[in-house]
Amino acid sequence: MASYQVKLVGREEFAEGTLAFRLEKPAGFQFKPGQAIVLELLDPPPEDGQKRRTFSLVSAPFEETLVIATRMRDTAFKRALKALPGGAGLKLTGPIGQFTLTDAVRPAVF
């Protein structure tokens, strides 16, 4: 599984208590709808177990940036993620997951 160093491009409130984080898309990074990434903080909070989390990608594969969205629970990881300034570095691993559509022409529902 490939790992990349990426930068936080920006964040916006998606819904009440939910933020979307926009990340730069590494050159050559390809994924299918339904896949996820693992994000790792480069300067994690001191609490154990708060260094990395898995997030589903909510952006489309053809978009120029990668987007994740998450409810902002009161955890050390999410507090640190929310506090990151634009341009901050993160480690991205992925894509992961096989919950994707096949190339079949029949309709599908998730």
Side-chain angles (χ1 to χ4, degrees):
M1 187 172 340
S3 292
Y4 309 89
Q5 179 100 14
V6 298
K7 291 183 180 174
L8 177 66
V9 176
R11 74 178 63 72
E12 63 186 273
E13 190 167 21
F14 215 54
E16 186 176 343
T18 303
L19 291 180
F21 294 88
R22 191 169 298 279
L23 310 167
E24 70 180 358
K25 188 176 187 178
F29 185 85
Q30 295 180 341
F31 70 98
K32 293 180 179 181
Q35 288 190 300
I37 58 172
V38 177
L39 270 188
E40 186 173 325
L41 300 171
L42 298 180
D43 187 20
E47 293 93 340
D48 288 337
Q50 299 295 322
K51 185 176 181 176
R52 71 179 66 88
R53 291 286 181 268
T54 302
F55 294 97
S56 294
L57 291 163
V58 299
S59 50
F62 60 81
E63 293 183 58
E64 293 182 17
T65 58
L66 300 174
V67 181
I68 61 163
T70 186
R71 297 276 301 156
M72 294 309 294
R73 307 275 186 226
D74 188 27
T75 67
F77 181 91
K78 289 186 180 179
R79 284 192 304 270
L81 182 62
K82 184 178 180 180
L84 287 176
L90 295 156
K91 181 179 176 185
L92 179 155
T93 304
I96 60 173
Q98 298 177 356
F99 191 57
T100 61
L101 289 171
T102 64
D103 292 332
V105 288
R106 70 179 209 197
V109 177
F110 279 96

